Amino acid sequence: MNKSWLKKLGPGLLFAGAAIGVSHLVQSTRAGADFGFGLIWAILLVNLFKYPFFQYGPRYATATGESLIDGYKRLGKGVLIVYYILTLTTMFTIQAAVTIVTAGLAANLFGITTDVTVWSIIITLICLTTLLIGKYKLLDNLIKVIIVILTVSTLIAVGVAIFNTNNAVSFTQIIPKGALEISFLITFLGWMPAPLDISTWHSLWALEKQKDGVQSYNTKQSIFDFNIGYIGTTILAFCFLGLGALVMYQSGNKFSSSAGVFAQQIIGLYTETLGSQTAVFIGVAAFTTMLSTTLTTLDASPRAMERSSVLLFNNKTKLTYNFWIIILSAGTMIILFYFISNMITLVKIATILSFLTAPFYAIANFMLISGKHTPKEWRPSIGMKIVSYFGIVFLIGFSIWYLFNL
């Protein structure tokens, strides 16, 4: 029974694997280091207001048998074109951002070479080969192991940090002021818990799960699966913020913009609380965290581009999954050659782009799940509609606030 229950899980954990990466390991830890526990309100609000739009991905896919991308075409070809352009213009930066963090951790962990550029190429090629050979099934199985390793190690680290800290802990909430602080808040919210375009990836993964022979993966099961992944990402966001707050806040230490040095600082956060003898285990946990994100994003963007290309060009295209994954891999490596020395800038660009495009995905997903294309029994309840309206206002409002404070 337990094995059967675990087998039904998949896309929700892939969501968690994609989400628990830069947003948690980098952004949440930095938030704790810079603001202590002062940005708890931001994690609560953004996870609440993004929740419906993420959930609509697997809900729509399993209720209708088609992805959100197919749904965007039903809303009008213009909506699909906007999605196509947004994905094409952001996927390289997003992939580069997660790869460079993974490369920094690998350089720190394995010690073969400290050249982050070399590690970025190696990791990209390993992920590319894994996905071309193993495809969805391998990804589905691998992510379950990775998520368990990550969760256990992080919870232990936070628990030890709470008991070992001698600093006075304040839960006074802070509203960032000034251009730099506001800019950081937007980058923090942009990928917390993940960019909203992951909802389209999730819809594709849900359909792939059904193709993989799991016939009982219906709409109810897909929402349950998603909720497990989403709750997990939210809890771990608080954990990473707590680590930054307990260990680095007001310590005088700042995170480096170099991927290699940043990796040392992250691992140092854990070993400072768990002891130096745990450095290897913590390094492996942090590395697998980012490797899962690098794998899932490298899989998802080509899936999305393949499907949207087919829909836009009426099947008269050879822009297949294999084509897009090779293009994405090559483009990622080119970007990394230019930004390899400044990880923080690359992450900042990627997260701001994600936040500013979030209202588009929120509105499109809400229109689709509430409209005639979704069976009545799976349209959102009044409560979900209210949260959705507030979420759209929240995302648009913060985008305007950021643009006025540039």
Side-chain angles (χ1 to χ4, degrees):
M1 182 70 179
N2 288 337
K3 206 178 253 189
S4 172
W5 176 80
L6 187 62
K7 190 178 179 182
K8 289 179 184 178
L9 297 180
L13 297 184
L14 286 177
F15 169 86
I20 304 166
V22 171
S23 63
H24 292 59
L25 200 64
V26 180
Q27 300 296 78
S28 292
T29 311
R30 279 192 66 207
D34 292 347
F35 298 94
F37 289 96
L39 292 184
I40 286 177
W41 67 269
I43 293 178
L44 285 170
L45 280 184
V46 79
N47 277 276
L48 172 64
F49 288 140
K50 280 187 177 180
Y51 171 81
F53 312 117
F54 281 123
Q55 195 232 64
Y56 295 155
R59 181 195 283 238
Y60 181 80
T62 50
T64 64
E66 65 179 28
S67 71
L68 280 177
I69 301 169
D70 293 82
Y72 292 164
K73 187 177 182 182
R74 292 184 182 279
L75 292 176
K77 198 169 183 180
V79 177
L80 182 60
I81 290 171
V82 170
Y83 171 76
Y84 191 84
I85 293 170
L86 287 179
T87 304
L88 187 61
T89 53
T90 58
M91 68 180 190
F92 297 101
T93 314
I94 290 172
Q95 192 64 41
V98 298
T99 303
I100 194 173
V101 178
T102 313
L105 290 164
N108 187 269
L109 181 64
F110 299 115
I112 299 169
T113 175
T114 56
D115 191 327
V116 179
T117 307
V118 172
W119 272 114
S120 296
I121 294 170
I122 291 171
I123 288 164
T124 300
L125 291 176
I126 288 172
C127 291
L128 175 63
T129 306
T130 301
L131 291 169
L132 287 176
I133 296 172
K135 301 195 180 296
Y136 176 83
K137 193 164 187 175
L138 177 62
L139 187 66
D140 186 29
N141 292 329
L142 194 60
I143 205 71
K144 291 167 185 172
V145 178
I146 290 172
I147 292 296
V148 170
I149 294 172
L150 159 69
T151 304
V152 171
S153 61
T154 305
L155 290 174
I156 291 172
V158 174
V160 174
I162 290 170
F163 285 107
N164 285 1
T165 186
N166 294 317
N167 302 329
V169 176
S170 171
F171 288 94
T172 302
Q173 297 304 287
I174 299 168
I175 304 294
K177 295 175 183 176
L180 285 176
E181 288 191 353
I182 291 172
S183 179
F184 172 74
L185 178 64
I186 294 299
T187 63
F188 182 45
L189 298 176
W191 273 10
M192 177 51 60
L196 263 186
D197 53 332
I198 287 186
S199 59
T200 62
W201 304 356
H202 200 156
S203 68
L204 290 165
W205 285 328
L207 294 175
E208 201 66 35
K209 183 74 173 179
Q210 289 183 324
K211 285 184 201 170
D212 203 35
V214 184
Q215 299 299 327
S216 57
Y217 194 77
N218 53 31
T219 306
K220 186 176 180 180
Q221 177 65 32
S222 74
I223 293 173
F224 174 73
D225 175 37
F226 166 74
N227 286 339
I228 288 177
Y230 201 80
I231 292 168
T233 62
T234 305
I235 291 171
L236 288 174
F238 286 116
C239 289
F240 281 107
L241 181 137
L243 276 174
L246 293 167
V247 181
M248 287 193 75
Y249 183 55
Q250 293 183 334
S251 66
N253 296 320
K254 294 290 180 184
F255 282 117
S256 170
S257 61
S258 162
V261 177
F262 175 83
Q264 289 179 331
Q265 290 176 312
I266 284 291
I267 293 170
L269 270 178
Y270 285 90
T271 55
E272 194 169 322
T273 56
L274 292 175
S276 59
Q277 70 276 11
T278 63
V280 173
F281 300 103
I282 298 307
V284 169
F287 174 70
T288 52
T289 301
M290 286 310 307
L291 184 63
S292 73
T293 305
T294 308
L295 258 175
T296 49
T297 53
L298 189 62
D299 173 76
S301 293
R303 283 185 191 279
M305 290 304 295
E306 177 188 32
R307 188 60 197 154
S308 49
S309 296
V310 167
L311 291 170
L312 273 177
F313 306 116
N314 298 318
N315 293 312
K316 297 174 183 177
T317 175
K318 294 183 179 179
L319 303 181
T320 62
Y321 172 84
N322 288 354
F323 168 84
W324 283 113
I325 198 170
I326 291 168
I327 289 294
L328 178 57
S329 300
T332 297
M333 287 188 274
I334 291 169
I335 289 176
L336 287 172
F337 276 111
Y338 289 97
F339 283 93
I340 204 73
S341 62
N342 201 334
M343 180 197 72
I344 299 299
T345 299
L346 186 59
V347 171
K348 184 177 178 180
I349 291 169
T351 48
I352 287 175
L353 282 172
S354 293
F355 191 81
L356 293 178
T357 56
F360 165 79
Y361 293 106
I363 293 169
N365 290 4
F366 182 59
M367 287 175 65
L368 203 53
I369 203 72
S370 304
K372 62 183 180 180
H373 306 300
T374 303
K376 284 186 179 180
E377 65 267 31
W378 294 115
R379 292 175 195 172
S381 64
I382 293 175
M384 282 285 278
K385 284 185 176 180
I386 291 171
V387 176
S388 298
Y389 288 129
F390 276 111
I392 291 168
V393 171
F394 173 82
L395 293 170
I396 292 174
F398 263 92
S399 296
I400 294 170
W401 182 52
Y402 171 70
L403 293 172
F404 271 99
N405 282 279
L406 280 175

